[in-house]
Amino acid sequence: MGKKLMPQEVIDLIDSKADLIVPIANGEPIRLLDILEENAEQLDGVRIHQMLALRSRSYIQGDIEQLRHVSYFLSGATRKVYQQAKMELVPNNFHEVPRLLRKTTKMSMILTVASPMDEHGYFTLGTQADYIAEFIGKVPFILEVNDQMPRTFGRNQIHISQIAGYVEHHAALSEEKVMEVSDKDLLIASSIIQDIQDGDTLQIGIGSVPNAVISMLKDHRHLGIHTEMLPDGVAKLVAAGAVDGTRKFTNPGKIVATFAFGSKNLYDFIDNNPAVEFLPVSVVNDPREIAKEKNIVSINSTTEVDLFGQCASETVGGKYYSSSGGQVDFARGVRFAENGKGYICMPSTAKDDTLSRIKLQLAPGSVVTTGKNDVDHIVTEYGVARLHGVSISERARRLAAIAHPKFREELLFDAKKHGFLI
């Protein structure tokens, strides 16, 4: 039976050469990681595995030799460290992370934030399920109980008998900085909105374009949500009567996500809300599960696209910025769905319109996230290029047509010169 732990008792539970798993975003346990850093001299060769670390720490910077950070998705806290070759980054598709952890680590312990225990002895993982929920009852957990963490529903309940112990640390959750919606974002969103029908199920990514899409959906009806990250605007769509999930093919009537990250309004919306269910990422992002939603629409973003339709969504100017996340999971899932549609969005230019994001070739060092065989639609403020099942020659023409007008002639000239056009 799990008990409240003193710092030394936490350290005593960590074996030499342990692999510790920390969840994404607000699942990151501030106090537990403080304890590890403060008592690092008692540890030996411990690796901490995590996606999207929220806070820069001494061990992430490589300043504590007994603790090493292993990333599965870069963030502001880890990006420069990786670019300085001071930490490891493991390539992955989001739905496969639990399998990768099981295969390549000892799975020694999971450290996570949880909402307070209820009268039945259950904590919840709150804003989380992600890559840790499926290990409940199978891997030891140490919880950091936070009374600011919302109590939520889904496959993220953990009983006190299933934990090695807990500490308490009560603090406000981190909130996502709301990205301002630009005129370009609204133009991109307007092209996508034309293809969203009443009753469709949506996967909406993070960023200003998804925010713009959400702002235009209030007059739709019977929409469903099946998404990896639950964004802020979903609460507004529920209030407007646009989202009820009644036409979903899986989990009807439920808003399904694997984690939530947004404002306090979002956290208040999911608190004790049985309409929202957090499921493991191995379920939410599995292309086979996504495909069961016959009318699913996936909306994500990228940084540049070449004339094959290859999307570099995790590098910027050839330097690593993030990782693949779930973009490929949903690109493949919508492909298998009966009426699935996938949209990858971006402004047509960068650097004050001096650089086209649609290019003959990706910038040197860029990494392909969504490949040419999986891409469906590319969207800029100049329209939609429908690419699936389209020849390379026609792709080049369609992509040039949605590039910024001042780059179109050059793109077509280069495409002809390099044998893209026939």
Side-chain angles (χ1 to χ4, degrees):
M1 185 73 70
K3 66 171 186 174
K4 188 172 181 179
L5 301 172
M6 299 299 291
Q8 187 58 50
E9 292 176 302
V10 172
I11 297 300
D12 291 343
L13 290 169
I14 310 299
D15 294 333
S16 175
K17 306 295 192 295
D19 285 305
L20 307 181
I21 314 301
V22 171
I24 200 168
N26 277 304
E28 180 179 297
I30 298 170
R31 179 61 188 139
L32 285 172
L33 293 176
D34 284 346
I35 290 171
L36 296 186
E37 289 192 326
E38 291 164 4
N39 297 274
E41 72 280 355
Q42 299 183 55
L43 302 173
D44 174 37
V46 173
R47 298 193 303 167
I48 300 176
H49 303 260
Q50 186 185 12
M51 297 182 81
L52 196 66
L54 285 185
R55 296 165 186 83
S56 179
R57 286 183 166 270
S58 294
Y59 84 87
I60 289 177
Q61 300 296 323
D63 296 334
I64 300 178
E65 62 178 298
Q66 298 92 342
L67 293 171
R68 297 297 302 271
H69 181 77
V70 182
S71 179
Y72 295 74
F73 194 101
L74 299 180
S75 67
T78 57
R79 197 166 291 126
K80 288 184 179 179
V81 182
Y82 174 75
Q83 292 170 356
Q84 293 166 355
K86 292 182 179 180
M87 55 167 272
E88 301 288 350
L89 174 64
V90 180
N92 65 87
N93 292 317
F94 197 4
H95 88 278
E96 296 176 310
V97 172
R99 182 180 179 185
L100 286 176
L101 292 171
R102 192 183 296 115
K103 181 179 179 181
T104 63
T105 80
K106 297 176 184 176
M107 296 292 297
S108 308
M109 190 82 67
I110 293 175
L111 312 181
T112 183
V113 179
S115 63
M117 184 174 66
D118 67 12
E119 66 271 24
H120 305 294
Y122 284 93
F123 306 86
T124 82
L125 302 181
T127 55
Q128 314 299 126
D130 59 60
Y131 44 85
I132 64 169
E134 70 177 69
F135 297 116
I136 292 172
K138 301 172 185 176
V139 174
F141 275 65
I142 301 178
L143 304 184
E144 179 171 300
V145 178
N146 182 356
D147 61 12
Q148 302 296 303
M149 178 62 86
R151 172 167 293 278
T152 57
F153 293 83
R155 286 167 53 182
N156 65 345
Q157 320 287 309
I158 184 166
H159 192 263
I160 191 168
S161 65
Q162 297 172 313
I163 66 173
Y166 68 92
V167 301
E168 292 186 359
H169 178 78
H170 307 297
L173 303 189
S174 294
E175 299 184 43
E176 179 203 3
K177 183 179 179 181
V178 177
M179 300 183 72
E180 187 174 339
V181 174
S182 69
D183 291 341
K184 285 185 179 181
D185 297 327
L186 292 171
L187 286 169
I188 292 169
S190 65
S191 293
I192 299 170
I193 289 294
Q194 297 176 26
D195 285 352
I196 298 177
Q197 307 298 316
D198 288 349
D200 283 350
T201 292
L202 308 179
Q203 178 264 321
I204 304 175
I206 189 171
S208 55
V209 170
N211 290 345
V213 171
I214 288 172
S215 73
M216 295 181 173
L217 288 172
K218 293 179 182 178
D219 292 331
H220 282 65
R221 289 295 176 263
H222 308 301
L223 296 174
I225 303 294
H226 181 109
T227 190
E228 61 179 61
M229 189 197 83
L230 189 64
D232 225 60
V234 168
K236 295 178 181 178
L237 292 181
V238 172
V243 168
D244 62 20
T246 55
R247 297 185 185 176
K248 291 180 68 183
F249 292 85
T250 65
N251 306 291
K254 301 295 185 181
I255 294 168
V256 169
T258 199
F259 76 103
F261 192 48
S263 70
K264 188 176 184 301
N265 289 335
L266 176 66
Y267 305 145
D268 290 343
F269 171 73
I270 66 176
D271 186 37
N272 275 311
N273 187 344
V276 181
E277 291 197 345
F278 291 92
L279 304 180
V281 71
S282 54
V283 175
V284 175
N285 279 43
D286 186 332
R288 294 165 295 188
E289 290 296 316
I290 295 165
K292 293 177 183 177
E293 289 295 343
K294 296 181 182 179
N295 303 310
I296 191 160
V297 179
S298 172
I299 304 166
N300 289 292
S301 60
T302 193
T303 62
E304 57 180 328
V305 177
D306 69 12
L307 293 186
F308 290 110
Q310 299 180 119
C311 302
S313 307
E314 56 203 273
T315 49
V316 176
K319 289 187 177 182
Y320 240 108
Y321 188 83
S322 55
S323 192
S324 303
Q327 187 172 117
V328 178
D329 295 338
F330 279 89
R332 291 177 177 166
V334 300
R335 177 69 56 250
F336 296 131
E338 187 172 306
N339 301 307
K341 293 180 278 232
Y343 298 86
I344 296 181
C345 313
M346 64 179 185
S348 64
T349 58
K351 296 184 177 180
D352 297 323
D353 293 341
T354 63
L355 181 68
S356 177
R357 292 180 184 267
I358 296 176
K359 304 177 179 181
L360 176 72
Q361 297 174 324
L362 300 176
S366 293
V367 171
V368 174
T369 304
T370 300
K372 67 185 190 314
N373 299 341
D374 292 321
V375 72
D376 194 3
H377 305 81
I378 301 295
V379 192
T380 73
E381 69 271 27
Y382 293 103
V384 180
R386 304 176 190 272
L387 302 185
H388 187 245
V390 173
S391 71
I392 290 172
S393 179
E394 183 60 23
R395 283 175 181 228
R397 292 188 179 89
R398 293 186 182 189
L399 286 166
I402 63 166
H404 191 286
K406 73 179 184 179
F407 294 107
R408 292 175 189 171
E409 185 176 345
E410 179 184 358
L411 279 168
L412 290 171
F413 177 83
D414 288 343
K416 182 71 173 179
K417 180 180 177 181
H418 289 83
F420 280 79
L421 302 182
I422 57 174

